[in-house]
Amino acid sequence: MPFKRPAPPTHGSSSNTVLPASKRYRSDAQSSTALKDIKVHIVDAKLDGNTIGELYELVERADGKLVADVRDADVVVTSIGMRKRLERHLDWEVAVKKAIVTPHWIRDSVERGETQPCGEYASLQDLHDETVQNCPDSQEQDEAQPEAGPSTFSESEQNQLPSPPSSQSSSSQTKAAYRKGKSTKSSKSVSSSSIRSTSIVNIPEYLLPPNPPIPTDISKLDYKSRYACCRPSPLVCPNQGLVEELNIIRKSREVEGEARSALSYERAISVNMILHTAYPIRISSLRHVKEIPHIGEKITGLVQEYIESGKISEARVTLASERYQSLTAFTAIYGIGPNTARTLYARGLRTIRDLEVWYGIRPPDGEEDDEGVYAQQLQRGIVTVEGSKRRPARGGHGGAEVEDESWMKIALGLREELEIKVPRDEVEEIERVIGQELEEVQPGCVWTIVGGRNRYRRGKPMSNDVDIVFTHPDAEKVKGLCGRFINRLYERGFVSHVMHLSGFHAHNALRTTHWDSLEKALTVFTLPEDSHFAQDFPVGKEGKVQRRGVRRRLDLIFALPDVYWTAVIGWTGSIMFQRDLRQWAKDKKGYKFDSSGITRRRDSKQLFPKSEKDVFDLFGLEWVDPVWRNADA
């Protein structure tokens, strides 16, 4: 059968996925030889006619060769992201010998005038390494790659530190990464440019990250400021041991409901997280303590004790107490805050086992669960707790207070899995799967991984859960998208429990809580059996196993495009950084700020920043990259 090229795309198309080639690329790209002599096979599945026509035109324009037989191809282009689906269209033994990439590899290669590295565009995570190895440019890349060696920086270069890239790739490759909505195995750190999109087409510039990333000028930050948003706070400080001792006392004050005292310790911890280039020595005398701002007499005494003995006796006594151990264990369960924890302790509960019996998810001692009644509670499928009364814990560190017990039981029953930390590469795999599914529901969305407990974006290697903020250039397409997307994830078997589902509600300038007005879904998410991160889990007493990913807490936050950047900042953290950013906005500028937006207090006028840096500019602050916002323990 002859290889027939479909009709070129119609320039009047209203597709949300692509634009006509004539509008996407400069006219001088017509003479490009970016794909010269590279044999390309395009898998038509999941591509509409306009997209197929566009890709064919680009390959021919760039001197590439379209081939009908996949066995003849150097590169296979597909929008399929799962092995089982790809095997419907080509043999797996053939696939492992090819570079399998997304359509954006063609687009970016033509636009930039040179063949792009295939690894950044790998369509299947299962074939990432094979795609890198089989890429037509792999040999040239290997030859051109310089040997890694130690790097040295002058003092001025150290002061002007750039935001860490989202991968080891160049800025152009980083841009390609969020164009295709994929993450790569080479990712090491992430910053404000960690924004992905299902499609670059029709995305306004103000929803895209700066390229190159904006550097943080540490020399302009004030480590003596009382506001954490004015100070650089690293991931690890030279006084980490002291910070950890103080944090035990802070946690004790928090679970006991002593919010004001807990805040004092939190501030002391925050100022001890000062960047080592600004405060380069380990605290070893009271003279050093006097140089640290905002440390009161009580905490000064504790610091002196630590200097002399290497520990703080109050922290040691607290850590060994049964009450502290019980309350901190209880508040580690999602949905149980300090108030509920203290109530449970007063009723005589001391251990997690006591909680399991109290909430009815384990039989009491001496009783058998022969019929599996208790285990069945966690196998009921989706459990949605809509409109449940939820109160953020004061201080922000403890678990949120939830008056409906349904999701407390779920979190407690799944505790062992939910407590397992999430590595960065698994966060990126979850993001990849989410991006593919979102494309099916609503193309053209933009999103940023902000954390698990706000950790990911601030450079921490492990997260407690995964938080992603989404938007779409068309505000009407964002409204209601959260609910529709959750239904999709449930139908596909990725989400088993929805512990909170909320929609947008009108902006309220008088709102006093920080539980914002964005659309949110707080879920339990599981990667599929064909994921790199899948494991065998026992099912029942018959010795059967189920292959799947570890259950993870996944929070999906949907913001209107006008408040996308305030949502990203608000969900990035750290808690102390956010608290002081709100306080600075109030004290210095007369603004009310949180994830939902910025409001001028004197007349309730809303302000809509066009970038993350715009928020800092509006508040008259120096830009602080997320990796310098770790103002907590």
Side-chain angles (χ1 to χ4, degrees), residues 149-206:
S151 59
T152 58
F153 300 91
S154 66
E155 183 176 349
S156 61
E157 289 172 326
Q158 288 176 342
N159 284 338
Q160 189 75 11
L161 292 174
S163 303
S166 59
S167 72
Q168 294 178 346
S169 60
S170 66
S171 60
S172 62
Q173 292 169 336
T174 301
K175 191 171 182 179
Y178 71 75
R179 283 191 178 199
K180 65 184 188 319
K182 301 277 187 179
S183 59
T184 69
K185 286 189 175 182
S186 63
S187 295
K188 299 296 181 184
S189 60
V190 74
S191 72
S192 57
S193 62
S194 61
I195 297 170
R196 277 77 166 184
S197 169
T198 52
S199 172
I200 196 68
V201 180
N202 293 334
I203 302 295
E205 193 69 25
Y206 77 89

Side-chain angles (χ1 to χ4, degrees), residues 70-281:
V70 67
R71 291 170 294 185
D72 297 332
D74 300 313
V75 176
V76 177
V77 177
T78 179
S79 287
I80 297 172
M82 297 183 66
R83 172 174 175 172
K84 290 183 178 179
R85 291 187 180 181
L86 186 65
E87 286 182 306
R88 299 174 188 172
H89 303 278
L90 67 153
D91 189 276
W92 189 252
E93 293 183 0
V94 175
V96 298
K97 300 177 183 178
K98 307 296 179 182
I100 311 293
V101 299
T102 66
H104 292 288
W105 177 81
I106 293 178
R107 293 170 179 149
D108 290 344
S109 293
V110 174
E111 184 178 22
R112 295 171 189 147
E114 60 182 0
T115 306
Q116 297 300 297
C118 297
E120 292 283 343
Y121 301 84
S123 180
L124 274 73
Q125 197 70 12
D126 289 350
L127 292 179
H128 177 276
D129 294 344
E130 290 81 356
T131 294
V132 171
Q133 181 179 351
N134 297 321
C135 187
D137 76 332
S138 61
Q139 183 174 356
E140 291 87 346
Q141 292 287 323
D142 292 340
E143 292 174 354
Q145 185 70 27
E147 293 185 6
S151 59
T152 58
F153 300 91
S154 66
E155 183 176 349
S156 61
E157 289 172 326
Q158 288 176 342
N159 284 338
Q160 189 75 11
L161 292 174
S163 303
S166 59
S167 72
Q168 294 178 346
S169 60
S170 66
S171 60
S172 62
Q173 292 169 336
T174 301
K175 191 171 182 179
Y178 71 75
R179 283 191 178 199
K180 65 184 188 319
K182 301 277 187 179
S183 59
T184 69
K185 286 189 175 182
S186 63
S187 295
K188 299 296 181 184
S189 60
V190 74
S191 72
S192 57
S193 62
S194 61
I195 297 170
R196 277 77 166 184
S197 169
T198 52
S199 172
I200 196 68
V201 180
N202 293 334
I203 302 295
E205 193 69 25
Y206 77 89
L207 289 180
L208 299 178
N211 188 18
I214 301 169
T216 297
D217 191 345
I218 295 173
S219 66
K220 293 183 179 180
L221 298 179
D222 180 11
Y223 82 93
K224 291 186 177 181
S225 173
R226 67 176 296 269
Y227 297 96
C229 55
C230 299
R231 302 190 302 260
S233 300
L235 193 58
V236 178
C237 77
N239 301 299
Q240 196 69 27
L242 171 60
V243 164
E244 290 170 1
E245 291 285 293
L246 292 175
N247 195 46
I248 294 171
I249 303 175
R250 180 201 62 77
K251 288 173 65 177
S252 175
R253 300 292 194 271
E254 184 179 275
V255 296
E256 293 293 354
E258 300 173 15
R260 185 179 296 275
S261 179
L263 181 58
S264 297
Y265 282 93
E266 193 168 354
R267 289 203 177 279
I269 290 168
S270 176
V271 297
N272 274 288
M273 295 296 290
I274 292 168
L275 185 64
H276 64 276
T277 54
Y279 196 80
I281 59 176

Side-chain angles (χ1 to χ4, degrees), residues 221-501:
L221 298 179
D222 180 11
Y223 82 93
K224 291 186 177 181
S225 173
R226 67 176 296 269
Y227 297 96
C229 55
C230 299
R231 302 190 302 260
S233 300
L235 193 58
V236 178
C237 77
N239 301 299
Q240 196 69 27
L242 171 60
V243 164
E244 290 170 1
E245 291 285 293
L246 292 175
N247 195 46
I248 294 171
I249 303 175
R250 180 201 62 77
K251 288 173 65 177
S252 175
R253 300 292 194 271
E254 184 179 275
V255 296
E256 293 293 354
E258 300 173 15
R260 185 179 296 275
S261 179
L263 181 58
S264 297
Y265 282 93
E266 193 168 354
R267 289 203 177 279
I269 290 168
S270 176
V271 297
N272 274 288
M273 295 296 290
I274 292 168
L275 185 64
H276 64 276
T277 54
Y279 196 80
I281 59 176
R282 184 174 180 270
I283 294 174
S284 59
S285 73
L286 283 180
R287 177 177 60 82
H288 298 148
V289 178
K290 292 177 181 178
E291 295 176 10
I292 299 177
H294 318 299
I295 298 290
E297 289 186 11
K298 170 66 185 292
I299 295 178
T300 297
L302 297 176
V303 174
Q304 182 176 7
E305 180 184 356
Y306 181 83
I307 293 171
E308 295 172 351
S309 64
K311 60 184 179 181
I312 298 176
S313 57
E314 182 180 348
R316 297 294 98 193
V317 171
T318 298
L319 194 61
S321 73
E322 179 187 62
R323 181 177 176 86
Y324 175 81
Q325 293 173 6
S326 297
L327 294 181
T328 53
F330 294 170
T331 54
I333 304 299
Y334 199 82
I336 298 180
N339 293 337
T340 303
R342 292 195 299 274
T343 300
L344 294 170
Y345 188 88
R347 289 171 175 166
L349 281 66
R350 296 293 183 268
T351 66
I352 295 296
R353 169 67 179 169
D354 293 341
L355 285 185
E356 292 173 340
V357 175
W358 177 267
Y359 284 111
I361 66 168
R362 293 286 186 276
D365 291 334
E367 294 187 13
E368 296 293 332
D369 184 23
D370 295 331
E371 298 180 2
V373 174
Y374 295 93
Q376 288 174 13
Q377 294 190 66
L378 303 179
Q379 305 297 329
R380 293 178 297 173
I382 193 166
V383 178
T384 303
V385 185
E386 291 193 64
S388 60
K389 295 180 180 179
R390 186 184 193 280
R391 302 190 305 274
R394 293 186 68 180
H397 286 276
E401 303 281 2
V402 181
E403 295 181 8
D404 191 311
E405 294 184 355
S406 299
W407 63 333
M408 289 185 199
K409 294 180 180 180
I410 295 166
L412 186 59
L414 304 180
R415 173 185 57 84
E416 292 183 359
E417 285 188 57
L418 296 181
E419 286 182 351
I420 300 173
K421 300 290 187 181
V422 192
R424 293 183 68 86
D425 53 353
E426 186 175 348
V427 173
E428 291 164 2
E429 173 70 359
I430 292 172
E431 177 242 1
R432 184 187 69 82
V433 172
I434 289 294
Q436 287 183 334
E437 296 302 317
L438 185 59
E439 171 71 12
E440 300 293 330
V441 178
Q442 180 57 71
C445 289
V446 177
W447 65 88
T448 302
I449 309 173
V450 287
R453 292 281 176 89
N454 312 320
R455 293 168 177 264
Y456 179 89
R457 215 166 164 245
R458 291 187 279 121
K460 297 195 176 184
M462 305 291 282
S463 299
N464 296 312
D465 54 15
V466 182
D467 304 331
I468 309 177
V469 176
F470 302 83
T471 193
H472 190 283
D474 186 342
E476 293 303 314
K477 292 181 178 179
V478 185
K479 296 178 181 178
L481 179 56
C482 183
R484 291 190 290 120
F485 187 41
I486 288 302
N487 286 332
R488 163 83 181 190
L489 293 178
Y490 172 62
E491 292 170 357
R492 299 275 288 114
F494 295 117
V495 163
S496 59
H497 300 82
V498 179
M499 297 190 277
H500 177 87
L501 183 61

